[in-house]
Amino acid sequence: MASLSDARVKQLLESRYIASFATHNPNGSIHIVAVWFWFDGTDIYVATASRSRKARNLQANREVSLMVDSRDPAASYGVTVTGSAQLLSGESSHRCNTEIHRKYLSEAALADPKVGPVFAGWDDVTVRLVPTSVIVWDMREADQHVFDSSFKNNPTYLLPIAR
């Protein structure tokens, strides 16, 4: 098991990737959505609306997962973080959501009255994920140790991913 202090984990969590965020629906199924996030070095924060499915799901079950994948087939690596979540509101939520929006939106977008205020209005709460488990994977290591560098030596083995 990895930790949040591992260099590869920190690099993924501090970079501008889209994460997949999973909560539990009332019927037992999993609700998973793409999210923007911010890592403060200890916890992970996700901006959302108080009326969103993920926010409503957290009222019944606080266990969540967040997965970040580099999305690079030639050097695919990623991290899955699981833990307990809590919803922040008020000033602490506003502060965290501002960090998240600054991570993904340019200064021009934030200043545009048709963009910045809309995100600020939509995202009225924040999910704070307190990690209990961190799992990291790296296909380059698997290629080297399991496939005898077959993918590195034969770049046409992996087909391109649609973007």
Side-chain angles (χ1 to χ4, degrees):
M1 180 148 5
S3 77
L4 293 173
S5 62
D6 290 351
R8 175 93 5 121
V9 172
K10 286 176 68 172
Q11 188 270 327
L12 280 164
L13 294 178
E14 292 172 352
S15 296
R16 193 177 306 114
Y17 289 105
I18 304 298
S20 298
F21 186 74
T23 60
H24 297 270
N25 285 319
N27 68 1
S29 65
I30 300 298
H31 174 70
I32 189 163
V33 294
V35 297
W36 292 351
F37 66 95
W38 171 59
F39 175 57
D40 72 353
T42 304
D43 297 325
I44 300 168
Y45 299 85
V46 174
T48 193
S50 55
R51 296 177 315 280
S52 69
R53 167 55 55 199
K54 61 186 160 296
R56 293 191 323 255
N57 283 350
L58 289 173
Q59 294 173 4
N61 186 330
R62 296 173 19 145
E63 297 304 309
V64 300
S65 296
L66 180 126
M67 189 271 299
V68 181
D69 184 340
S70 68
R71 312 281 178 178
D72 181 353
S76 181
Y77 60 97
V79 63
T80 299
V81 180
T82 59
S84 181
Q86 69 179 115
L87 281 176
L88 305 178
S89 60
E91 184 52 38
S92 61
S93 172
H94 176 73
R95 187 173 26 82
C96 292
N97 289 350
T98 297
E99 291 290 340
I100 295 164
H101 296 156
R102 282 187 181 143
K103 180 177 175 181
Y104 290 90
L105 295 169
S106 70
E107 287 298 323
L110 291 167
D112 185 330
K114 296 176 290 197
V115 178
V118 173
F119 276 99
W122 274 344
D123 294 335
D124 61 335
V125 295
T126 309
V127 178
R128 176 181 173 223
L129 189 169
V130 178
T132 57
S133 171
V134 178
I135 299 168
V136 67
W137 68 91
D138 189 333
M139 273 304 293
R140 293 169 295 190
E141 290 179 18
D143 183 33
Q144 180 182 0
H145 299 296
V146 178
F147 301 110
D148 195 28
S149 298
S150 294
F151 291 97
K152 178 181 177 185
N153 297 330
N154 299 286
T156 60
Y157 276 19
L158 291 172
L159 299 174
I161 302 232
R163 297 209 181 251

